[in-house]
Coordinates of all heavy atoms in Angstrom, one line a residue:
A211 N 53.5 117.5 79.2 CA 52.9 118.6 78.4 C 53.8 119.8 78.4 O 54.0 120.5 77.3 CB 51.6 118.9 78.9
E212 N 54.4 120.1 79.4 CA 55.3 121.3 79.5 C 56.5 121.0 78.5 O 56.9 121.9 77.8 CB 55.8 121.6 80.9 CG 56.8 122.8 80.9 CD 57.3 123.2 82.2 OE1 56.7 122.7 83.2 OE2 58.3 123.9 82.3
A213 N 57.1 119.8 78.6 CA 58.2 119.5 77.7 C 57.8 119.5 76.2 O 58.6 120.0 75.4 CB 58.8 118.2 78.1
K214 N 56.7 118.9 75.9 CA 56.3 118.8 74.5 C 55.8 120.1 73.9 O 56.1 120.3 72.7 CB 55.2 117.8 74.4 CG 55.6 116.3 74.4 CD 54.5 115.4 73.9 CE 54.0 115.8 72.5 NZ 53.0 114.9 72.0
T215 N 55.1 120.9 74.7 CA 54.5 122.1 74.1 C 55.1 123.4 74.7 O 55.5 124.3 74.0 CB 53.0 122.1 74.4 OG1 52.4 120.9 73.9 CG2 52.3 123.3 73.8
G216 N 55.2 123.5 76.1 CA 55.7 124.7 76.7 C 57.1 125.0 76.4 O 57.5 126.2 76.3
A217 N 57.9 124.0 76.2 CA 59.4 124.2 76.0 C 59.7 125.1 74.8 O 60.5 126.0 74.8 CB 60.1 122.9 75.9
L218 N 59.0 124.7 73.7 CA 59.3 125.5 72.4 C 58.7 126.9 72.4 O 59.3 127.8 71.9 CB 58.7 124.7 71.2 CG 59.2 125.3 69.8 CD1 60.7 125.4 69.7 CD2 58.6 124.4 68.7
L219 N 57.5 127.1 73.0 CA 57.0 128.4 73.2 C 57.9 129.3 74.1 O 58.2 130.4 73.8 CB 55.6 128.4 73.7 CG 54.5 128.4 72.6 CD1 54.4 127.0 72.0 CD2 53.1 128.7 73.2
G220 N 58.4 128.7 75.1 CA 59.4 129.4 76.0 C 60.7 129.7 75.3 O 61.2 130.8 75.4
C221 N 61.1 128.7 74.5 CA 62.4 129.0 73.7 C 62.2 130.1 72.7 O 63.1 130.9 72.5 CB 62.8 127.7 73.0 SG 64.3 127.8 72.0
A222 N 61.0 130.1 72.0 CA 60.7 131.2 71.1 C 60.8 132.6 71.7 O 61.4 133.5 71.2 CB 59.3 131.0 70.5
C223 N 60.2 132.7 72.9 CA 60.2 134.0 73.6 C 61.7 134.3 74.1 O 62.1 135.5 74.0 CB 59.4 133.9 74.8 SG 57.6 133.7 74.4
A224 N 62.4 133.3 74.5 CA 63.8 133.5 74.9 C 64.7 133.9 73.8 O 65.5 134.8 73.9 CB 64.3 132.3 75.6
L225 N 64.5 133.3 72.6 CA 65.3 133.7 71.4 C 65.0 135.2 71.1 O 66.0 135.9 70.7 CB 65.0 132.8 70.3 CG 66.0 131.7 70.1 CD1 66.1 130.8 71.3 CD2 65.6 130.9 68.8
G226 N 63.8 135.6 71.2 CA 63.5 137.0 70.9 C 64.2 137.9 71.9 O 64.8 139.0 71.5
G227 N 64.3 137.5 73.2 CA 65.0 138.3 74.2 C 66.5 138.3 73.9 O 67.2 139.4 74.0
L228 N 67.1 137.2 73.5 CA 68.5 137.1 73.1 C 68.8 138.1 72.0 O 69.8 138.8 72.0 CB 68.9 135.7 72.7 CG 69.0 134.7 73.8 CD1 69.2 133.3 73.3 CD2 70.1 135.0 74.8
Y229 N 67.9 138.1 71.0 CA 68.2 139.0 69.8 C 68.0 140.5 70.1 O 68.4 141.3 69.4 CB 67.3 138.5 68.6 CG 68.0 137.5 67.8 CD1 68.1 136.2 68.2 CD2 68.5 137.8 66.5 CE1 68.8 135.2 67.5 CE2 69.2 136.9 65.8 CZ 69.3 135.6 66.3 OH 69.9 134.6 65.5
A230 N 67.3 140.7 71.2 CA 67.1 142.1 71.7 C 68.3 142.5 72.7 O 68.3 143.7 73.1 CB 65.8 142.3 72.4
G231 N 69.2 141.6 73.0 CA 70.2 141.9 73.9 C 69.8 141.9 75.4 O 70.4 142.7 76.2
A232 N 68.8 141.2 75.7 CA 68.2 141.2 77.0 C 69.2 140.6 78.0 O 70.0 139.8 77.7 CB 66.9 140.4 77.1
A233 N 69.0 141.0 79.3 CA 69.8 140.4 80.4 C 69.4 139.0 80.6 O 68.3 138.6 80.3 CB 69.6 141.2 81.7
P234 N 70.3 138.2 81.2 CA 70.0 136.7 81.4 C 68.7 136.5 82.2 O 67.9 135.6 81.8 CB 71.2 136.2 82.1 CG 72.3 137.1 81.7 CD 71.7 138.5 81.5
E235 N 68.5 137.3 83.2 CA 67.3 137.1 84.0 C 66.0 137.5 83.2 O 64.9 136.9 83.4 CB 67.3 138.0 85.3 CG 67.4 139.5 85.1 CD 68.9 139.9 85.0 OE1 69.8 139.1 84.8 OE2 69.1 141.2 85.2
E236 N 66.1 138.4 82.3 CA 65.0 138.8 81.4 C 64.7 137.6 80.5 O 63.5 137.3 80.2 CB 65.2 140.1 80.7 CG 65.3 141.3 81.6 CD 65.8 142.5 80.9 OE1 66.6 142.4 79.9 OE2 65.4 143.6 81.3
V237 N 65.7 137.0 79.9 CA 65.6 135.9 79.0 C 64.9 134.7 79.7 O 64.0 134.1 79.1 CB 67.0 135.5 78.4 CG1 66.8 134.2 77.6 CG2 67.6 136.6 77.6
E238 N 65.3 134.4 80.9 CA 64.7 133.3 81.7 C 63.3 133.6 82.0 O 62.5 132.7 82.0 CB 65.5 133.1 83.0 CG 67.0 132.6 82.7 CD 67.0 131.4 81.7 OE1 66.1 130.5 81.9 OE2 67.9 131.3 80.8
A239 N 63.0 134.9 82.3 CA 61.6 135.2 82.6 C 60.7 135.1 81.4 O 59.5 134.6 81.4 CB 61.4 136.6 83.1
L240 N 61.2 135.4 80.2 CA 60.5 135.2 78.9 C 60.3 133.7 78.7 O 59.2 133.3 78.2 CB 61.3 135.9 77.8 CG 61.3 137.4 77.7 CD1 62.3 137.9 76.6 CD2 59.9 137.8 77.3
D241 N 61.3 133.0 79.0 CA 61.2 131.5 78.8 C 60.1 131.0 79.7 O 59.2 130.2 79.2 CB 62.5 130.8 79.1 CG 62.5 129.3 78.8 OD1 62.0 128.6 79.7 OD2 62.9 128.9 77.7
A242 N 60.1 131.4 80.9 CA 59.0 131.0 81.9 C 57.6 131.4 81.4 O 56.7 130.7 81.6 CB 59.3 131.5 83.3
F243 N 57.5 132.6 80.9 CA 56.3 133.1 80.4 C 55.8 132.2 79.2 O 54.6 131.8 79.2 CB 56.4 134.6 79.8 CG 55.4 135.0 78.8 CD1 54.1 135.3 79.2 CD2 55.7 135.0 77.5 CE1 53.1 135.7 78.3 CE2 54.7 135.4 76.5 CZ 53.5 135.7 77.0
G244 N 56.6 131.9 78.3 CA 56.3 131.0 77.2 C 55.9 129.6 77.6 O 54.9 129.1 77.1
R245 N 56.6 129.1 78.6 CA 56.3 127.8 79.1 C 54.9 127.8 79.7 O 54.1 126.8 79.5 CB 57.3 127.3 80.1 CG 58.7 126.9 79.5 CD 59.7 126.6 80.5 NE 60.9 126.1 79.9 CZ 61.2 124.8 79.6 NH1 60.3 123.9 79.9 NH2 62.4 124.5 79.0
A246 N 54.6 128.7 80.6 CA 53.3 128.7 81.2 C 52.2 128.9 80.2 O 51.1 128.3 80.2 CB 53.3 129.8 82.3
A247 N 52.4 129.9 79.2 CA 51.4 130.1 78.2 C 51.3 128.8 77.3 O 50.2 128.4 76.9 CB 51.8 131.2 77.3
G248 N 52.4 128.1 77.1 CA 52.3 126.9 76.3 C 51.6 125.8 77.0 O 50.8 125.0 76.4
L249 N 51.7 125.7 78.4 CA 51.0 124.7 79.1 C 49.5 125.0 79.1 O 48.6 124.1 78.9 CB 51.5 124.6 80.5 CG 51.0 123.5 81.4 CD1 51.1 122.1 80.6 CD2 51.8 123.4 82.7
A250 N 49.2 126.3 79.2 CA 47.8 126.8 79.1 C 47.2 126.4 77.7 O 46.1 125.9 77.6 CB 47.6 128.2 79.4
F251 N 48.0 126.6 76.7 CA 47.6 126.3 75.4 C 47.3 124.8 75.2 O 46.4 124.3 74.7 CB 48.7 126.7 74.4 CG 48.6 126.0 73.0 CD1 47.7 126.5 72.1 CD2 49.3 124.9 72.7 CE1 47.6 125.9 70.8 CE2 49.2 124.3 71.4 CZ 48.4 124.8 70.5
Q252 N 48.2 123.9 75.8 CA 48.0 122.5 75.7 C 46.8 122.0 76.4 O 46.1 121.1 75.9 CB 49.3 121.8 76.2 CG 49.2 120.3 76.0 CD 49.2 119.9 74.5 OE1 50.0 120.3 73.7 NE2 48.1 119.2 74.1
L253 N 46.5 122.6 77.6 CA 45.3 122.3 78.3 C 44.1 122.5 77.4 O 43.2 121.7 77.4 CB 45.3 123.1 79.6 CG 46.2 122.6 80.7 CD1 46.6 123.7 81.6 CD2 45.5 121.5 81.5
I254 N 44.0 123.8 76.8 CA 42.8 124.1 76.0 C 42.8 123.2 74.7 O 41.8 122.8 74.3 CB 42.8 125.6 75.7 CG1 42.7 126.4 77.0 CG2 41.7 125.9 74.7 CD1 41.4 126.1 77.8
D255 N 44.0 123.0 74.2 CA 44.1 122.1 73.0 C 43.5 120.7 73.3 O 42.9 120.1 72.4 CB 45.5 122.1 72.5 CG 45.6 121.6 71.1 OD1 45.0 122.3 70.2 OD2 46.3 120.6 70.8
D256 N 43.8 120.2 74.5 CA 43.3 118.9 74.9 C 41.8 118.9 75.0 O 41.1 118.0 74.7 CB 44.0 118.4 76.2 CG 45.4 117.9 76.0 OD1 45.8 117.8 74.8 OD2 46.0 117.6 76.9
V257 N 41.3 120.0 75.5 CA 39.8 120.2 75.6 C 39.2 120.2 74.2 O 38.2 119.5 74.0 CB 39.5 121.5 76.4 CG1 38.0 121.8 76.2 CG2 39.9 121.4 77.8
I258 N 39.9 121.0 73.3 CA 39.4 121.0 71.9 C 39.5 119.6 71.3 O 38.6 119.2 70.5 CB 40.2 122.0 71.1 CG1 39.9 123.4 71.6 CG2 39.9 121.9 69.6 CD1 40.8 124.5 71.0
G259 N 40.5 118.8 71.6 CA 40.7 117.5 71.1 C 39.5 116.6 71.4 O 39.3 115.5 70.8
I260 N 38.8 116.9 72.5 CA 37.7 116.1 72.9 C 36.3 116.7 72.4 O 35.5 116.0 71.9 CB 37.6 115.9 74.4 CG1 38.9 115.1 74.9 CG2 36.4 115.1 74.8 CD1 39.1 115.0 76.4
W261 N 36.2 118.0 72.7 CA 34.9 118.7 72.4 C 34.9 119.7 71.3 O 34.0 120.4 71.1 CB 34.4 119.4 73.7 CG 34.2 118.4 74.9 CD1 33.0 117.7 75.0 CD2 35.0 118.1 76.0 NE1 33.1 117.0 76.2 CE2 34.3 117.2 76.8 CE3 36.3 118.6 76.4 CZ2 34.9 116.7 77.9 CZ3 36.8 118.1 77.5 CH2 36.1 117.1 78.3
G262 N 36.0 119.7 70.5 CA 36.2 120.7 69.5 C 35.3 120.5 68.3 O 34.9 119.3 68.0
D263 N 35.1 121.5 67.5 CA 34.3 121.4 66.2 C 35.3 121.0 65.2 O 36.3 121.7 64.9 CB 33.8 122.8 65.9 CG 33.0 122.8 64.6 OD1 32.9 121.8 64.0 OD2 32.4 123.9 64.3
P264 N 35.0 119.8 64.5 CA 35.9 119.4 63.4 C 36.1 120.4 62.3 O 37.2 120.5 61.7 CB 35.3 118.1 62.9 CG 34.4 117.6 64.0 CD 33.9 118.9 64.7
A265 N 35.1 121.3 62.1 CA 35.2 122.3 61.0 C 36.4 123.3 61.4 O 36.9 123.9 60.5 CB 33.9 123.0 60.9
R266 N 36.6 123.5 62.7 CA 37.7 124.4 63.1 C 39.0 123.6 63.3 O 40.1 124.2 63.0 CB 37.3 125.1 64.3 CG 36.1 126.1 64.1 CD 36.0 127.0 65.4 NE 34.9 127.9 65.2 CZ 34.7 128.9 66.0 NH1 35.5 129.1 67.0 NH2 33.7 129.8 65.8
T267 N 38.9 122.4 63.9 CA 40.2 121.7 64.3 C 40.8 121.0 63.1 O 42.1 120.8 63.1 CB 39.9 120.7 65.3 OG1 39.0 119.6 64.8 CG2 39.2 121.3 66.5
G268 N 40.1 120.7 62.1 CA 40.6 119.9 60.9 C 40.8 118.4 61.3 O 41.4 117.7 60.5
K269 N 40.3 118.0 62.4 CA 40.5 116.6 62.8 C 39.0 116.1 63.1 O 38.1 116.8 63.5 CB 41.3 116.4 64.0 CG 42.8 116.8 63.8 CD 43.7 116.6 65.0 CE 45.1 117.0 64.8 NZ 46.0 116.7 65.9
P270 N 38.8 114.7 63.0 CA 37.5 114.2 63.3 C 37.2 114.4 64.8 O 38.0 114.5 65.7 CB 37.7 112.6 63.1 CG 38.9 112.5 62.2 CD 39.8 113.7 62.6
A271 N 35.9 114.5 65.1 CA 35.4 114.7 66.5 C 35.8 113.5 67.3 O 35.7 112.4 66.9 CB 33.9 114.9 66.4
G272 N 36.3 113.8 68.5 CA 36.6 112.7 69.4 C 37.8 111.9 69.0 O 38.0 110.8 69.5
A273 N 38.7 112.5 68.2 CA 39.9 111.7 67.7 C 40.7 111.3 68.8 O 41.2 110.1 68.8 CB 40.6 112.6 66.7

Side-chain angles (χ1 to χ4, degrees):
E212 179 180 342
K214 277 195 63 176
T215 304
L218 189 55
L219 269 72
C221 183
C223 296
L225 262 57
L228 287 172
Y229 271 72
E235 60 271 19
E236 293 170 331
V237 173
E238 294 309 317
L240 285 170
D241 185 276
F243 159 76
R245 283 174 178 270
L249 189 49
F251 164 82
Q252 187 60 59
L253 285 154
I254 296 301
D255 199 58
D256 283 355
V257 170
I258 292 171
I260 299 175
W261 295 280
D263 179 0
R266 293 192 178 191
T267 65
K269 296 183 179 183

